[in-house]
Amino acid sequence: MEDRRHSSSRPRLTSACLDCADAEELAEFYSRLLGWEVVARDTTATRKGGAGWVLIRDPAEASHCHSRRKTGISRPSGQRSMTL
């Protein structure tokens, strides 16, 4: 099996962490948009002072994205929910 991490000499983004007001909502949005799956999340029992996070992953690649709730971030006024 070919190791895809080293198959190209071009740089490639394999991970991103997005701060947001609602980690669950943002992860659900990108999961549905990209066809990725939720593979991990914290719970109130495992949370150690943080506000919450969700990890989604591309099932066909090594790429993944964290959405991390951060206090003090709010939606811009007038922003509407998007349904896919």
Side-chain angles (χ1 to χ4, degrees):
M1 176 185 260
E2 177 185 344
D3 184 355
R4 298 174 91 177
R5 292 175 294 171
H6 303 292
S7 63
S8 173
S9 61
R10 295 183 324 195
R12 197 176 127 200
L13 179 66
T14 60
S15 179
C17 182
L18 306 173
D19 290 339
C20 57
D22 187 331
E24 290 286 340
E25 183 179 2
L26 189 64
E28 174 67 21
F29 171 78
Y30 278 109
S31 177
R32 292 177 66 201
L33 177 71
L34 300 171
W36 292 11
E37 55 194 27
V38 173
V39 294
R41 62 172 39 92
D42 72 343
T43 65
T44 52
T46 61
R47 196 169 296 148
K48 296 178 180 174
W53 59 267
V54 180
L55 172 66
I56 63 172
R57 184 175 308 255
D58 179 351
E61 297 284 337
S63 302
H64 63 275
C65 179
H66 285 90
S67 58
R68 179 178 66 180
R69 183 174 178 259
K70 187 161 180 153
T71 56
I73 294 178
S74 60
R75 284 195 181 111
S77 61
Q79 182 178 350
R80 299 173 190 238
S81 294
M82 294 174 50
T83 303
L84 295 176

